[in-house]
């Protein structure tokens, strides 16, 4: 999914970069608000610092986990392999705002240090994987969670996260195909590109779902209150947001 430099024309790259920058800026704003809410809900200053520090450490650990697991490839077809995209996983653990920032940090390091995805393509890559991957993963996970929660309770959390992961990968691939149809610089039939990208990424999405569901299941079993997707079910408050220990649904209009 990592786009190289000059795969999209200048106009498309600039437009997608602008959207990505705006989304990341909004994620920064929302993350600050969430951390402030954590601090204000604490009993005293010591608890406030501990709550914020715990959330920041979880975000750092999630970012490192996604970065490491993205290094691992698994076969999906003859001559084709895939790897974790990570947006749905980050959203399930951190919530959508911190999730966007987590995957953005991964992509930035990969682009600058490891040349995995071009510098000029960083904006499109952030839009596809950090923004679309995370928000679609979160939205689908919340929808599935709402449908399953009354039947299986907290047991819905890993299944919901897996469903979000399954959908997020082909959703990002479909958006890429649309962007390429508008501003691609390589001569490839659009229909063939769409069918190949979406088809292959459906299979990659299965791997993403397995990894995401497994990680979230372990995290939920060990510390359910620390999992954003778990907290939205286990500790609901007025307005549909999660408990102070989790990130509220973002954007608000999608609750």
């Amino acid at each position: 999914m990592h786009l190289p430099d000059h795969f999209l024309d200048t106009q498309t790259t600039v437009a997608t970069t602008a959207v990505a920058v705006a989304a990341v800026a909004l994620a920064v704003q929302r993350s600050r608000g969430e951390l402030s809410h954590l601090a204000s809900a604490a009993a005293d200053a010591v608890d406030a610092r501990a709550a914020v520090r715990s959330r920041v450490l979880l975000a750092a650990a999630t970012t490192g986990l996604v970065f490491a697991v993205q290094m691992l490839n698994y076969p999906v077809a003859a001559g084709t392999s895939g790897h974790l995209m990570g947006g749905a996983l980050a959203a399930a653990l951190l919530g959508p705002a911190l999730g966007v920032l987590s995957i953005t940090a991964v992509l930035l390091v990969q682009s600058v240090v490891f040349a995995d995805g071009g510098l000029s393509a960083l904006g499109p890559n952030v839009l596809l994987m950090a923004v679309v991957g995370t928000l679609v993963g979160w939205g689908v996970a919340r929808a599935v969670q709402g449908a399953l929660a009354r039947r299986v309770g907290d047991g819905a959390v890993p299944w919901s996260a897996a469903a979000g992961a399954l959908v997020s990968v082909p959703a990002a691939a479909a958006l890429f195909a649309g962007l390429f149809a508008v501003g691609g610089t390589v001569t490839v039939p659009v229909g063939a590109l769409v069918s190949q990208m979406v088809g292959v990424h459906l299979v990659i999405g299965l791997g993403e779902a397995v990894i995401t569901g497994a990680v979230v299941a372990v995290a939920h079993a060990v510390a359910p209150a620390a999992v954003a997707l778990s907290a939205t079910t286990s500790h609901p408050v007025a307005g549909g947001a999660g408990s102070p220990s989790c990130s509220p649904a973002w954007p608000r209009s999608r609750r």
Side-chain angles (χ1 to χ4, degrees):
M1 182 65 72
H2 289 76
L3 302 185
D5 287 323
H6 312 303
F7 207 68
L8 299 174
D9 62 26
T10 302
Q11 294 89 337
T12 305
T13 299
V14 170
T16 53
T17 299
V19 175
V21 168
V24 171
L26 181 57
V28 169
Q29 181 183 15
R30 290 302 303 268
S31 296
R32 286 176 175 172
E34 291 164 11
L35 294 177
S36 296
H37 178 62
L38 275 177
S40 64
D44 53 41
V46 174
D47 287 347
R49 287 194 295 270
V52 171
R53 181 168 59 251
S54 175
R55 202 70 192 160
V56 171
L57 288 175
L58 178 60
T62 300
T63 302
L65 174 65
V66 171
F67 182 86
V69 177
Q70 277 199 6
M71 299 291 187
L72 305 176
N73 292 312
Y74 49 88
V76 296
T80 304
S81 63
H83 63 74
L84 182 80
M85 197 162 70
L89 175 59
L93 296 176
L94 303 173
L98 279 172
V100 168
L101 299 184
S102 174
I103 303 303
T104 298
V106 170
L107 294 173
L108 180 62
V109 172
Q110 288 175 337
S111 177
V112 173
V113 179
F114 296 98
D116 192 0
L119 280 174
S120 67
L122 181 59
N125 282 325
V126 168
L127 177 62
L128 292 170
M129 289 183 277
V131 178
V132 173
T134 301
L135 296 186
V136 169
W138 175 259
V140 171
R142 287 297 303 275
V144 173
Q145 185 181 35
L148 295 180
R150 290 189 177 182
R151 296 181 180 180
V152 296
D154 280 355
V157 171
W159 294 103
S160 302
L166 176 65
V167 177
S168 68
V169 175
L175 177 58
F176 161 73
L179 293 175
F180 186 86
V182 172
T185 59
V186 181
T187 304
V188 177
V190 174
L193 177 69
V194 171
S195 62
Q196 182 175 8
M197 282 293 295
V198 175
V200 168
H201 283 84
L202 275 171
V203 180
I204 294 174
L206 291 173
E208 183 105 5
V210 171
I211 295 170
T212 299
V215 172
V216 171
V218 172
H220 176 66
V222 174
V227 178
L229 191 60
S230 172
T232 58
T233 296
S234 302
H235 310 285
V237 296
S243 73
S245 65
C246 77
S247 302
W250 180 75
R252 293 183 185 272
S253 61
R254 294 188 181 181
R255 289 182 186 173

